[in-house]
Amino acid sequence: MKKSILVLTALASFVFASCQNFKKGDGGLEYKFIKDAGTDKAVGGDILAMDMIVETDRDSLLASTYDLGMSQIAPVIPDSMMQGGYAGDNNSILKMLGEGDSAVFRLNLDTMAAKTGQPKPEFADKYIQFTIKVKKHFKKGNLTDSALYDQVNKYYLAEMEGMKKAEDGKIATYVEKNKLTPKKTASGLQYVVKNEGTGNNPVVGDTVVLNYTGALTNGKVFDTNLPEVAKENNVFNPMRPYEALRVRIGHTPVIQGWTEGLQLLKKGSKATFIIPSSLGYGERQQGNLIPAYAPLVFDVDVVEVIAGPKEEPTPAQPTIPVPTP
């Protein structure tokens, strides 16, 4: 299974734990501590901020906070408010953790199905594995809900600010690593034209037919219309059509970086766009694929440019679609 370099780096600190045996807990839960920091464990009403990697027993990566660069915020549900909970469930896992702890948990799927009456997921057989590192423990204690969530919100905003400040560095590192010499527009879009193409540049109202692959600056592909690339990068979706994309400039809702960038390319052009988040998704995280303040890299191959109507079109306001994984 392919993982991004970022995830592999995060996992490296956990390698030594592989020789440890898992301990048995309630409800078939298995666990092993990589580090027990000796701090207070979470109780009902508390909130944990943690880094987490979720995998299946088929060695399939389901989610990783390391890819998104943001902590997972997890409230610990008090027993009095639990509905359908059981010993050995997700909430039980959280109660075993405190600030600074690192551990691996295997949630038993047979127990989950028996206790909840829900079928086992199709993507796993016996268990789902959670590798967790607790970064911050927010204790409810005598705090009001508003006071507690104010602490969580300040922590979240600080993480967001850190991601925003890191964006320029991510772009610079990508350019240097790939030995690129991109041109830069006034808006901040950077681009490298690998093949100039022929004909006229498209304008607002024209339709551009293209193939593309979108990735983060760490190389993790999040979207493509090329089936072989999708399969190679584990983002293939059998429910979507894999065919050339048609974008009518100023009318098809795409991110601003595309609206600007496509007008720089002729038919037959091949190029790489390096799009800052201000021309992309901004502070809005897109599912489990694109973090907040993420610069995006698109490899674009223009297949055709179709002239639009002769009359002057009214440009549509760009919107931000969620990419199809």
Side-chain angles (χ1 to χ4, degrees):
M1 179 192 67
K2 292 188 176 182
K3 295 184 176 75
S4 70
I5 293 175
L6 199 58
V7 173
L8 289 173
T9 301
L11 284 172
S13 62
F14 299 141
V15 167
F16 75 93
S18 62
C19 61
Q20 301 175 358
N21 293 323
F22 280 87
K23 295 181 179 180
K24 298 287 186 178
D26 294 333
L29 180 69
E30 296 181 275
Y31 65 95
K32 60 183 177 184
F33 272 81
I34 298 164
K35 177 183 178 182
D36 187 340
T39 53
D40 293 337
K41 306 306 179 185
V43 298
D46 292 350
I47 297 174
L48 298 177
M50 54 195 189
D51 279 328
M52 181 169 64
I53 298 168
V54 186
E55 302 168 285
T56 75
D57 52 1
R58 297 177 188 169
D59 195 32
S60 177
L61 178 67
L62 299 181
S64 171
T65 61
Y66 295 98
D67 282 338
L68 292 176
M70 287 289 293
S71 301
Q72 174 70 42
I73 303 298
V76 184
I77 309 301
D79 292 339
S80 60
M81 298 177 63
M82 282 294 294
Q83 295 183 356
Y86 61 91
D89 65 1
N90 288 337
N91 205 55
S92 302
I93 291 174
L94 298 179
K95 291 181 178 180
M96 298 173 68
L97 295 168
E99 189 166 316
D101 288 347
S102 299
V104 183
F105 299 90
R106 290 176 174 173
L107 183 70
N108 188 287
L109 297 179
D110 288 324
T111 302
M112 183 186 73
K115 294 292 187 180
T116 64
Q118 300 295 320
K120 291 169 60 174
E122 296 181 355
F123 51 76
D125 296 316
K126 296 181 179 179
Y127 61 82
I128 296 176
Q129 179 167 294
F130 301 85
T131 303
I132 298 173
K133 180 178 181 180
V134 179
K135 298 171 68 176
K136 185 70 175 177
H137 179 186
F138 301 94
K139 300 178 181 179
K140 176 68 165 69
N142 295 321
L143 293 175
T144 62
D145 288 345
S146 61
L148 176 65
Y149 280 96
D150 182 61
Q151 291 184 9
V152 176
N153 188 54
K154 288 179 179 178
Y155 179 86
Y156 171 80
L157 292 176
E159 284 208 328
M160 290 282 284
E161 184 63 23
M163 294 175 70
K164 183 178 180 180
K165 290 180 179 179
E167 182 175 356
D168 289 345
K170 291 178 181 178
I171 293 175
T173 298
Y174 177 84
V175 169
E176 181 179 359
K177 179 180 178 181
N178 290 277
K179 297 180 172 58
L180 301 177
T181 307
K183 296 180 180 179
K184 188 174 183 179
T185 70
S187 68
L189 171 68
Q190 298 189 49
Y191 65 100
V192 177
V193 178
K194 302 172 183 178
N195 186 345
E196 282 290 348
T198 58
N200 297 322
N201 287 70
V203 296
V204 171
D206 290 349
T207 296
V208 179
V209 184
L210 68 148
N211 295 313
Y212 71 95
T213 296
L216 304 178
T217 51
N218 63 11
K220 186 175 180 62
V221 172
F222 58 80
D223 191 23
T224 180
N225 73 313
L226 302 171
E228 64 277 9
V229 176
K231 291 175 181 177
E232 182 181 354
N233 290 276
N234 296 320
V235 293
F236 183 75
N237 180 0
M239 303 302 292
R240 68 165 285 181
Y242 283 92
E243 57 190 24
L245 182 67
R246 299 171 68 91
V247 177
R248 188 179 179 205
I249 298 175
H251 294 261
T252 302
V254 294
I255 57 175
Q256 187 177 343
W258 268 39
T259 299
E260 179 180 354
L262 291 180
Q263 295 180 73
L264 302 172
L265 306 180
K266 304 176 177 67
K267 176 183 176 180
S269 293
K270 294 184 179 181
T272 296
F273 296 151
I274 306 169
I275 302 176
S277 66
S278 59
L279 302 178
Y281 300 99
E283 64 183 16
R284 287 162 288 191
Q285 175 180 316
Q286 300 296 308
N288 291 321
L289 300 174
I290 301 177
Y293 294 113
L296 308 176
V297 178
F298 283 95
D299 288 323
V300 176
D301 180 359
V302 178
V303 177
E304 184 64 83
V305 174
I306 303 170
K310 296 299 182 182
E311 65 272 18
E312 183 70 20
T314 302
Q317 291 297 319
T319 59
I320 301 177
V322 177
T324 302

